Amino acid sequence: MKIVAIWTGAVAVLTLAACGSAPPPADTDPGSAATTVQSCGQTLGFAAPPQRAVALEQNATEIMLSLGLADRMAGTSYRTDPVLDEIAEAYAGVPVLAERYPARESLLAAEPDFTYSTFASAYAPDAAGSREDLAALGVPAYLSAHSCPDRAPGPVPFESILQEITDIGTVFGVPERAAALVAEQRARLAAAAGTSTPERSVLWYYSGTSTPHVAGSGGLAATMSEVVGVRNAFDDAPQAWAEGSWEEIAERDPDVFVLADLTRGGDGDSAQSKIDFLRAHPVASQLRAVREGAFIVVPGSTLDPSIRSVSAVEP
């Protein structure tokens, strides 16, 4: 059965609209001016824009390609979803180093002069290695602010995504491209602001069945709730994704379930598997939102901070 987003009589909170802008033409001189950016407590210095960058997972890759930087990429890895249509052709020309994270040896064999990831797990010892070790080899390693190991608890603001785009534009000497992409994202966020009603409660259901993982106040989903003007059913949980129980969810009785459609194939990952489970579960099936089919489906990738995320709040 085809999954559709249904919320009759309520405000449309989320859509599956594609995100990201078409890659700009490669029309600027990479330049040679030295520059620095800050990343998770490290100052990354560049005598000139990198020419052999490796993006360690899909979100980083899509930001680079949306800035027209395919010709500066020596590799990519860890693709979890089909690449955005507007950058698919550019992606096809970038070497894929590994299905998931490349091992340190595979990464270094690509002779990178810059690495970039939106998840700290890319820099684990059994993956690319620590950022400090890479820096010692002369390879600056950028990590997204939302994944900083010492990040204080709290919502992930869209502003951090926009700053990341700005940083990457600075690193590669294409600030005008970054500014254009940031402006596009800001305009889309402004158009989405306040498109729902505050009394509506939303349960952001990410994964799991016996123990459902639901959005708390410490991640991007919390910010999405604020942008569109709905109440996060678990806004009192400090985590980005908290472990809930069906009894507690029943007590909170959310008006709408937002279902992350994940492609990794685990228990309760796909949106359809979530719907099937909810309709069969003795407690969840009695919830009004489940009985009425008040489900809104979003790609799981939009709930990780990226250029795709704005599409999850567009009316």
Side-chain angles (χ1 to χ4, degrees):
M1 180 183 71
K2 182 178 179 181
I3 299 172
V4 294
I6 302 172
W7 189 353
T8 305
V11 178
V13 182
L14 306 167
T15 70
L16 294 176
C19 176
S21 60
D27 57 359
T28 56
D29 185 336
S32 59
T35 189
T36 61
V37 296
Q38 300 298 314
S39 176
C40 293
Q42 295 185 12
T43 299
L44 309 184
F46 303 87
Q51 300 298 311
R52 295 190 56 80
V54 172
L56 294 169
E57 43 68 46
Q58 184 166 351
N59 291 343
T61 299
E62 292 190 343
I63 287 177
M64 289 196 64
L65 294 180
S66 294
L67 293 175
L69 297 171
D71 62 333
R72 315 279 190 87
M73 296 184 68
T76 182
S77 59
Y78 218 141
R79 194 189 78 176
T80 55
D81 292 285
V83 175
L84 295 170
D85 289 344
E86 56 267 36
I87 57 176
E89 184 177 353
Y91 179 88
V94 179
V96 177
L97 304 185
E99 182 179 353
R100 294 200 172 185
Y101 294 130
R104 180 182 176 87
E105 294 76 14
S106 299
L107 173 64
L108 296 180
E111 300 181 344
D113 55 6
F114 177 70
T115 62
Y116 171 25
S117 181
T118 58
F119 292 103
S121 52
Y123 295 116
D126 60 349
S130 73
R131 299 170 67 219
E132 291 77 11
D133 287 349
L134 290 168
L137 296 173
V139 182
Y142 187 96
L143 176 61
S144 299
H146 67 84
S147 281
C148 293
D150 58 352
R151 176 182 173 268
V156 174
F158 273 101
E159 191 60 38
S160 69
I161 302 172
L162 304 183
Q163 182 59 54
E164 184 171 322
I165 294 169
T166 300
D167 285 349
I168 299 305
T170 298
V171 167
F172 286 90
V174 291
E176 72 295 334
R177 300 182 193 178
L181 182 54
V182 165
E184 181 208 33
Q185 295 255 310
R186 285 194 192 283
R188 294 169 68 182
L189 285 169
T195 52
S196 188
T197 50
E199 65 270 18
R200 291 283 171 181
S201 64
V202 172
L203 181 79
W204 301 80
Y205 179 13
Y206 191 75
S207 65
T209 51
S210 58
T211 303
H213 287 80
V214 299
S217 63
L220 184 63
T223 302
M224 290 176 172
S225 298
E226 294 175 4
V227 168
V228 297
V230 296
R231 180 170 57 83
N232 178 5
F234 276 78
D235 59 3
D236 56 336
Q239 304 95 326
W241 297 104
E243 291 186 352
S245 71
W246 293 111
E247 290 71 23
E248 187 174 11
I249 289 170
E251 290 177 4
R252 300 185 183 215
D253 193 20
D255 295 304
V256 176
F257 278 72
V258 179
L259 308 177
D261 194 16
L262 304 172
T263 60
R264 61 193 184 187
D267 177 39
D269 276 350
S270 74
Q272 186 61 65
S273 68
K274 290 180 176 71
I275 290 174
D276 293 343
F277 173 82
L278 289 169
R279 288 175 171 163
H281 190 271
V283 174
S285 62
Q286 300 307 304
L287 293 172
R288 178 171 51 84
V290 175
R291 296 198 314 270
E292 296 178 356
F295 303 134
I296 294 176
V297 176
V298 297
S301 56
T302 66
L303 300 181
D304 294 323
S306 73
I307 60 169
R308 294 175 179 243
S309 298
V310 68
S311 71
V313 298
E314 289 182 309

